[in-house]
Structure formats: structure tokens, C-alpha cells
Amino acid sequence: MIKNDLFLRALKGETVERPPVWMMRQAGRYLPEFMEIKAKYDFFTRCQTPELASEITVQPIRRYGMDAAILFSDILVIPQAMNIEVQMKPNFGPYLPNPIRSQKDVDNVVVPDVTVELDYVYQAIKATKEKLNDEIPLIGFAGSPWTILCYCVQGQGSKNFDKAKKFCFTNPVAAHGLLQKITDTTISYLRQKVKAGVNAVQVFDSWGGMLSPIDYQEFSWQYIQQIIDALKDETHVIAFGKGCWFALGEMAKSGASALGVDWTCSARNARYLTGGNITLQGNFDPTRLYSPPAEIKKMVTKMINDFGKDKYIVNLGHGILPDIPLDNAKAFIDAVKEYKSPD
Ligand code: CP3
């Protein structure tokens, strides 16, 4: 039994004293204790060493006491396991030297035995569960197939992922072949994560908002739906699509336990689009954490009142930024813990 089960109760839609809180990308980046580890070990060493990954996962919990931990890892361990080289270049981000650009490239992509290739992730989960000592739940994650395709084809981060979109629209058969291989790998991977001990999984569709609503259905959502269908009886699935408010209605019917919302969609609109019955997660503008702590607290209280304390998980609308002051992140978390319902 997990002692603080606010997060799991919110995922089940139960009534809670206050909503749970965690922050996307909470492990890393803005924390000095993370920067110390980062100075000593390169990115994939941190991901692949269970002792380091579990330590980084619990760092923000020790400092702030969030209601859920998210495993330190990356969405790009999936293409890596599929025989696509992925480098993490300092001050640049992900770099894939041999991007996928043809049917032949897709044919060379492997659907791996994830129990072997990604064993280090399950070991990191087990090490983290020990450190968490059943105090709070642990979240596992994966990128959406579309978001992974974006990196595999573009070869690096991008403002518009133009090469990825060009590939989909000029070679849809190859694109769907790749998306299906990523989907199959992701399903087995998340299943193993659940077996290793994660209490919920989140699918990050960070670049879903690059697609028009119609293209979103074809190139992104149908694959996320396959992941939800495969996992929903084994664990809670949270679907987060950045810039994808237009799809919230469809997402609400998917069997996901919760849906992530970014800050461009109001609480009222998100509740309206989803029919008012599903748990929502979000949606504080990450740059609003630059505001003074007192203002952050006021805005967080208003955000909870707007979403309602039940069927709600407080979060940012995207990952925390690297230069957010520590006291401002603390104000965000504390405001939720101090929350008193107005009724
Ligand atoms: O809470 C956490 O931080 C848990 C771990 C986590 C990382 N990446 C660690 C990381 C999670 C959940 C991710 C998800 C991820 N990775 C996404 C989806 C979420 C989102 O932000 O949209 C995406 C698109 C990636 C791909 C990726 N990995 C990028 C674009 C970068 C470079 C820029 C950056 O810092 O976001 C990474 C590298 C990365 N992943 C770092 C960390 C802590 C920074 C590099 C380093 O530590 O050396």
C-alpha cells in the first residue's frame, strides 16, 4: 500500500482533500543537486545506471515533497533500443546522426526484445521503488509514436519538425510502418515498466500540436489509442498532448485515466471539451514560474478553483524550465499542499 495515494485516487476520480501535485520534468535541470551529478556523468550513463537514475528521481521529492515521482530517463531510449543511434549533445539536445528518410531505413529499424535492451530501465524502477519506500507512487513514461518519429526523421529538435511532416505526407506508407514499429515497442516497454513497479504511465505527445486536427488523428492519436487499449487494464494511462486541445473530446473517450492539458486551453474549456467526467492534469504556464512566489501561489489557488479540486492533478502545462528559481518551484508545490476548498 502506498501511504500518500492522492495521485492514484485522483486518477480513479475519487474525492480528495486536495488535488495531488507533481511537475513535468521535475527530475533534473533546475536542481543544483542534479547539476552535481550531471557534471560527473554523461546523459545516457545517468539513464543507464540504476543507482544514478533512482537518485535523480528522488531528488525533487526530498526537496519539495511532490505527491508522485517520475522516473529519470528519456523518451529517446526507445529509438536507441530500436537500433537508431541517438546522441545527447551538451547545449544542443538530442542528435540522431542517421535519420530515417526512406522505406529502406524503416525496414532496418528493429522491434527489439525490450526485456533485454531496456533492462536498465526496469532496474532503475526497482531501485527507485526501494528509495521511495511506498511513500508516493512512481510514474513511468514514453513518448508518443508521433513524437518519437519527429526525432527519428528530423534527426534533432526543431521549431516545426518540417522534415518529419514532409516524410509523413510524401511517404505515408513508410511513415505508418515506422509509427507501428514504435507503437509495438512502446507497448511492450510500458508493460515491462508496470511489471517492474511503476504505478501509472504517461504518454508524452510533446509535438502533437504540430499536426492539424485531421493529421493528428492519422499520424498520432490512433497510435496513442493502441497504447491505451493495450495498457488500460494493467495500469493508469495519462495522455498528454501539447497543443492538442482540439483532440480532447476524442481523448476523453479513449480509456485513459487522465488527460494532460497545456496552458493555451482554459480549465473551463478543457472540462467542456472532455464532458466533465475525466481527470485532467495541468496546466500552469511553465514561464509563469518566473513570477514572484506570492503571485505564483495566488495563481495556483485560482487554477485549482477553476478546474475543481476533484478529478484534477496539479501540474505545469509542459516541462519546468532550467532557470526557474528554487523558491518559485517550492511556491508552486506549497500552494497546492496549503489549498483549502472554498466550499
Ligand atoms: O522529470 C524528468 O525530468 C524525468 C526525466 C525526463 C527527461 N526527459 C530527462 C532529460 C523526461 C520525462 C523526459 C521526457 C522528454 N525527453 C520529452 C517529453 C517531455 C517534453 O519535455 O516535451 C522530450 C521531447 C524529450 C527529448 C529530449 N531529451 C530533449 C528535447 C532534450 C534536450 C533538452 C532538454 O533539456 O529538455 C533531452 C535531454 C534531457 N532529458 C535532459 C533531461 C534531464 C537534459 C540533458 C542532460 O541532462 O544532459
Side-chain angles (χ1 to χ4, degrees), residues 37 72 111 239 292:
I37 296 184
F72 179 79
V111 176

Side-chain angles (χ1 to χ4, degrees), residues 22-30 34-35 38 41-44 46-47 56-57 60 70-76 88-90 92-94 141-143 147 151 157 202 204-207 240 242 318-320 322:
W22 67 283
M23 295 189 294
M24 285 192 272
R25 307 298 304 276
Q26 69 189 16
R29 294 176 131 190
Y30 61 107
F34 170 77
M35 298 313 279
K38 181 173 164 150
Y41 306 95
D42 72 56
F43 182 70
F44 285 112
R46 276 175 273 145
C47 291
I56 296 170
T57 303
I70 181 160
L71 185 73
F72 179 79
S73 184
D74 199 81
I75 61 170
L76 298 174
M88 198 58 75
K89 289 197 178 182
F92 179 84
F141 67 90
T147 291
Y151 287 100
Q202 174 156 323
F204 284 88
D205 197 5
S206 304
W207 306 121
F240 167 64
K242 182 164 176 295
H318 198 198
I320 187 167

